């Protein structure tokens, strides 16, 4: 297939960009009910976008805030990666056209965009200190050689996703007082010993979501 050939030509040339200063990506995990597995994510890309528009490849830093932490971490990791990739790509498509800088334009109109979620997963990998591992795996020259090149490529991309999800399963989740209050109101258990007492007040858009119960991203 022509896009396989294009990918073969492109990927071996790719390398992890030189990263500049850190840029936080705040993630708010909001429970809808007393079920520990019933929640949605809000991603705040504002700082990440602002710094990327400066023309640098910032080093993403994830900060996950929640009202409870007794949910299944394996399920959390898979859902987090999938939703993050979807929201990140949506944000990148909207903001990248305006700035053309940093992570917002990484890959440009190249074949990597055909993969869907490639850049988002790379950003997650960098935030989880495994970015070079992901690029080294995906960029193997012999990956696209042979009769089943397309199948090999799909398998290798799936393996990188698995590694990202394994790292996400061990990600620190900090309990935010306002999110904990909300979790208790919808039936969650009381647990205040591990609260982040220094947490900033929730942004207004997050409080609005607590009131209306609808999922989605800030932008």
């Amino acid at each position: 297939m022509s896009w396989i050939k294009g990918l073969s030509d492109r990927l071996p040339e790719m390398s992890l960009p030189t990263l500049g200063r850190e840029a936080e990506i705040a993630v708010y995990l909001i429970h809808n009910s007393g079920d520990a597995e019933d929640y949605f994510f809000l991603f705040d890309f504002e700082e990440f976008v602002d710094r990327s528009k400066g023309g640098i490849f910032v080093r993403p830093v994830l900060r996950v805030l929640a009202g409870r932490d007794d949910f299944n971490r394996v399920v959390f990791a898979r859902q987090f990666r999938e939703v993050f990739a979807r929201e990140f790509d949506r944000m990148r498509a909207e903001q990248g056209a305006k700035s053309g800088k940093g992570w917002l334009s990484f890959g440009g109109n190249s074949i990597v965009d055909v993969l869907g979620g490639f850049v988002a997963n790379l950003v997650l990998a960098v935030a989880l200190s495994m970015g070079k591992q992901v690029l080294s795996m995906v960029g193997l020259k012999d990956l696209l050689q042979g009769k089943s090149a397309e199948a090999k490529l799909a398998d290798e991309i799936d393996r990188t996703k698995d590694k990202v999800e394994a790292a996400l399963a061990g990600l620190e989740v900090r309990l935010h007082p306002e999110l904990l209050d909300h979790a208790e109101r919808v039936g969650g258990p009381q647990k205040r010993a591990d609260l982040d007492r220094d947490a900033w007040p929730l942004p207004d858009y997050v409080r609005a979501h607590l009131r209306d119960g609808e999922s989605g991203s800030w932008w």
Side-chain angles (χ1 to χ4, degrees):
M1 296 177 63
S2 60
W3 72 270
I4 289 286
K5 177 60 169 62
L7 189 59
S8 177
D9 294 339
R10 172 68 176 169
L11 283 180
E13 302 172 359
M14 296 180 68
S15 61
L16 193 65
T18 300
L19 303 177
R21 53 189 174 176
E22 293 183 348
E24 181 178 278
I25 301 176
V27 184
Y28 302 95
L29 189 154
I30 301 174
H31 278 83
N32 292 314
S33 68
D35 184 349
E37 309 306 323
D38 181 18
Y39 53 80
F40 63 90
F41 301 104
L42 294 177
F43 297 93
D44 190 339
F45 294 116
E46 185 172 15
E47 181 178 340
F48 185 88
V49 168
D50 285 346
R51 294 196 172 187
S52 291
K53 285 182 176 179
I56 59 175
F57 284 91
V58 296
R59 182 180 299 277
V61 177
L62 294 175
R63 183 169 63 98
V64 181
L65 299 169
R68 57 190 296 183
D69 59 3
D70 57 339
F71 45 84
N72 184 305
R73 292 308 183 93
V74 174
V75 174
F76 159 82
R78 183 179 66 251
Q79 293 179 341
F80 185 101
R81 189 196 61 75
E82 291 175 353
V83 177
F84 181 92
R86 183 171 65 248
E87 292 293 317
F88 186 91
D89 280 354
R90 188 159 67 96
M91 174 275 294
R92 183 168 166 256
E94 179 178 309
Q95 298 292 336
K98 301 175 183 178
S99 68
K101 302 293 180 66
W103 287 110
L104 301 181
S105 61
F106 184 58
N109 296 319
S110 73
I111 196 67
V112 299
D113 291 329
V114 175
L115 300 177
F118 178 85
V119 177
N121 277 282
L122 179 57
V123 167
L124 277 180
V126 171
L128 297 166
S129 301
M130 53 179 294
K132 290 182 179 180
Q133 298 176 41
V134 170
L135 275 182
S136 64
M137 286 187 294
V138 176
L140 291 175
K141 183 66 175 178
D142 59 0
L143 176 63
L144 302 177
Q145 296 177 348
K147 184 176 181 180
S148 57
E150 187 174 2
K152 288 180 181 179
L153 176 61
D155 288 345
E156 196 59 51
I157 292 173
D158 283 342
R159 279 194 286 273
T160 66
K161 293 177 180 178
D162 289 342
K163 289 181 179 295
V164 168
E165 288 179 12
L168 283 171
L171 189 67
E172 179 188 12
V173 176
R174 296 155 63 182
L175 296 182
H176 191 286
E178 292 180 73
L179 294 179
L180 184 143
D181 287 342
H182 172 77
E184 289 181 349
R185 285 196 299 271
V186 297
Q190 295 185 356
K191 183 180 179 182
R192 297 186 172 270
D194 299 327
L195 277 178
D196 182 353
R197 305 289 178 180
D198 298 323
W200 287 84
L202 293 177
D204 289 340
Y205 76 90
V206 176
R207 289 175 175 170
H209 278 283
L210 295 182
R211 292 191 299 268
D212 62 33
E214 295 181 2
S215 61
S217 186
W218 70 274
W219 48 272

